Amino acid sequence: MSRDEQSVKLDLERIVFIGRTFGEYLDMFSFSKDELQGKKILDCPAGACSFTAVGNKLGLDVTACDIAYYHSGEDLKYKGLQDIEHAMKHMQIAQNNYKWDYFKEIEGLRSHRLSALQDCANDMRESNERYVPVTLPSLPFKDEEFDIVFSAHFLFMYSDRLDYQFHIETLDELLRVTKEEVRIFPLVELEGKRYKHLDDIISYLIDNGCKVEEVNVPYEFQTNANSILKINKY
Ligand SMILES: C[S@@+](CC[C@H](N)C(=O)[O-])C[C@H]1O[C@@H](n2cnc3c(N)ncnc32)[C@H](O)[C@@H]1O
């Protein structure tokens, strides 16, 4: 195996390719399908979500981007199946940290994750141009190319590995590529506490002319992960 092949393989091993369904996204971002009609939407980072696949089939205009998309859809699907099994084993011991009204039980969670992965992998094959490889904090899109940007389970949540400066640079970039709004879910770190720099981030955004609201949403799986940051540009 060449050095390049080795580093691609290693990178793939580091990626966890798990995603949410279209329905979960509507709940976590508190939008109906009809409200999104006619808007150009970016899901960033989208991972193995089916929001793009199902949204476009329903007549929405959604683009997905993620660092994982440097890999082939086939490799990602294989990795995603392994990651789901690994996550379900972990869930057996961690299930008390989660609320089960939505999925009911681990089998329900598994079937949502498998359905998202399946839809995403099929759509990557059929509409590959909708799946753009990116490396945050920079994006290859034009200024104000989208109307709305959704960002789930990335900023705030991984504060143990993404520092404050990375958050600011990523938010600046998400705001650059949208005309109207950025929504981020959730506002807690992995262990369920409010992101420690959230108030500083909100002040930074307000100082830069944005309107910022914390809004409760009708989706809570990880305990306390039940609100979004709604950032409007003007
Ligand atoms: C936990 S997943 C969330 C995916 C999806 N938004 C969801 O809610 O299910 C985090 C994603 O961030 C992607 N990612 C990690 N670092 C990145 C970077 N620097 N640039 C772009 N994507 C990145 C990973 O590949 C992964 O798909």
Side-chain angles (χ1 to χ4, degrees):
M1 197 185 288
S2 74
R3 261 182 93 86
D4 277 358
E5 281 169 327
Q6 240 169 12
S7 75
V8 167
K9 184 164 182 293
L10 279 174
D11 280 344
L12 185 60
E13 276 162 16
R14 236 179 274 142
I15 285 165
V16 176
F17 200 60
I18 292 186
R20 278 77 189 171
T21 61
F22 180 78
E24 288 179 82
Y25 256 48
L26 290 186
D27 284 346
M28 76 175 70
F29 288 112
S30 201
F31 260 115
S32 70
K33 176 179 104 34
D34 291 347
E35 288 169 323
L36 293 174
Q37 206 75 46
K39 307 255 186 214
K40 196 165 163 51
I41 306 158
L42 177 68
D43 182 8
C44 174
C49 285
S50 61
F51 182 68
T52 299
V54 176
N56 287 318
K57 287 202 171 60
L58 295 174
L60 301 182
D61 179 355
V62 192
T63 300
C65 66
D66 197 289
I67 201 168
Y69 303 156
Y70 287 108
H71 297 278
S72 75
E74 267 312 294
D75 285 352
L76 288 173
K77 184 174 174 193
Y78 180 70
K79 179 67 168 57
L81 289 171
Q82 292 176 319
D83 290 341
I84 290 172
E85 286 322 305
H86 180 80
M88 294 310 121
K89 281 202 188 99
H90 170 76
M91 198 46 85
Q92 305 278 1
I93 31 175
Q95 55 185 308
N96 290 342
N97 300 335
Y98 294 83
K99 296 200 167 183
W100 290 93
D101 349 10
Y102 196 95
F103 301 111
K104 308 297 176 212
E105 52 188 2
I106 290 180
E107 242 354 274
L109 176 65
R110 185 201 304 274
S111 80
H112 276 75
R113 296 290 166 265
L114 285 171
S115 136
L117 176 65
Q118 188 73 49
D119 287 343
C120 174
N122 289 344
D123 199 46
M124 282 184 87
R125 215 175 27 242
E126 291 160 17
S127 310
N128 195 253
E129 69 290 351
R130 294 255 178 207
Y131 294 82
V132 183
V134 301
T135 308
L136 288 166
S138 82
L139 292 173
F141 306 113
K142 294 200 282 284
D143 291 359
E144 308 201 337
E145 185 165 335
F146 300 93
D147 295 304
I148 301 182
V149 176
F150 292 147
S151 186
H153 300 105
F154 181 64
L155 290 179
F156 311 148
M157 186 149 244
Y158 293 99
S159 61
D160 55 334
R161 56 209 87 156
L162 305 175
D163 65 16
Y164 178 73
Q165 192 53 32
F166 179 90
H167 279 72
I168 291 290
E169 285 171 24
T170 299
L171 281 163
D172 282 345
E173 192 67 342
L174 298 180
L175 283 160
R176 181 185 68 76
V177 302
T178 190
K179 279 195 201 75
E180 297 173 7
E181 190 170 309
V182 174
R183 292 191 181 200
I184 300 171
F185 176 94
L187 307 184
V188 295
E189 301 175 358
L190 276 177
E191 72 279 11
K193 280 191 295 197
R194 179 182 163 89
Y195 171 53
K196 56 179 177 278
H197 298 305
L198 193 58
D199 291 331
D200 295 330
I201 295 265
I202 292 173
S203 299
Y204 171 83
L205 293 168
I206 291 172
D207 288 348
N208 282 279
C210 295
K211 181 176 170 218
V212 185
E213 291 168 85
E214 286 182 53
V215 181
N216 283 329
V217 294
Y219 178 94
E220 182 176 4
F221 178 44
Q222 184 193 350
T223 306
N224 291 334
N226 57 6
S227 55
I228 52 168
L229 205 62
K230 180 173 175 306
I231 310 166
N232 286 85
K233 276 181 87 165
Y234 305 111

